[in-house]
């Protein structure tokens, strides 16, 4: 009988610690910014799904493209219909690994995330510089990087090519919490 209780306690603790292996946010933030002589273009998406597996230091991100909100409705329409073709390519994804994950502590510090970014059906390997901190209750990550639209097959019509930057600054902020089933 004592062995059964010991086994039950071990299984209970194992299932509890297993839940702490994954940290999730369903409302991460991604913004992008394009500076141009005519008009700056900026959009924000607060419905970004991101998960971190602490055992493997893997990170995955899923972004619904139609969730980017613009100041002007016409910009949003052009973004979805003409550039990223959201009906054809509804999501952008990132799958990668947080480098030196074991060195991240409760004090914010610099780290790198390496992986594959897929936008508009095209995938490119990237390395992102990020700030991160980690506690028992959260993994917080933020940073910014640039993407070249041509790398993802996003074409800018010649009529507006001087109004849209070829490289776009992307910023992110994720506050992951322990995943509970």
């Amino acid at each position: 009988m004592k062995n059964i209780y010991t086994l039950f306690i071990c299984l209970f603790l194992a299932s509890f610690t297993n839940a702490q292996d994954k940290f999730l946010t369903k409302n991460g933030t991604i913004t992008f910014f394009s500076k141009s002589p005519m008009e700056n273009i900026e959009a924000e998406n607060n419905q970004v799904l991101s998960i971190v597996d602490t055992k493997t230091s893997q990170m995955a991100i899923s972004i619904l493209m139609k969730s980017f909100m613009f100041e002007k409705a016409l910009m949003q329409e052009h973004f979805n219909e003409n550039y990223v073709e959201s009906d054809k390519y509804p999501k952008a994804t990132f799958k990668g690994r947080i480098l030196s994950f074991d060195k991240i502590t409760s004090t914010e510090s610099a780290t790198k995330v390496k992986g594959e970014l897929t936008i508009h059906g095209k995938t490119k390997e990237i390395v992102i510089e990020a700030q991160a901190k980690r506690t028992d209750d959260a993994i917080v990550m933020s940073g910014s990087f640039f993407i070249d639209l041509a790398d993802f097959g996003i074409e800018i019509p010649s009529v507006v090519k001087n109004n849209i930057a070829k490289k776009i600054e992307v910023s992110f902020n994720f506050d992951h919490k322990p995943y509970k089933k």
Side-chain angles (χ1 to χ4, degrees), residues 42-74:
E42 189 170 12
E44 185 172 310
N45 186 335
N46 293 311
Q47 299 175 22
V48 180
L49 174 67
S50 176
I51 189 163
V52 174
D53 185 329
T54 61
K55 280 195 173 190
T56 63
S57 69
Q58 297 292 311
M59 181 176 196
I61 302 167
S62 180
I63 307 159
L64 188 61
M65 299 307 281
K66 284 191 176 181
S67 294
F68 278 101
M69 304 313 276
F70 292 73
E71 185 177 314
K72 297 179 180 176
L74 187 59

Side-chain angles (χ1 to χ4, degrees), residues 3 6 9 37 59-60 70 77 80 93-94 100 107 117 124 128 132 136 162 165 174 180:
N3 288 340
T6 304
I9 289 171
M59 181 176 196
F70 292 73
E77 182 181 327
N80 285 303
T93 60
F94 175 83
S100 303
T107 304
L117 177 63
K124 179 176 170 69
I128 301 167
D136 291 340
N162 292 331
F174 301 125
K180 295 178 178 123

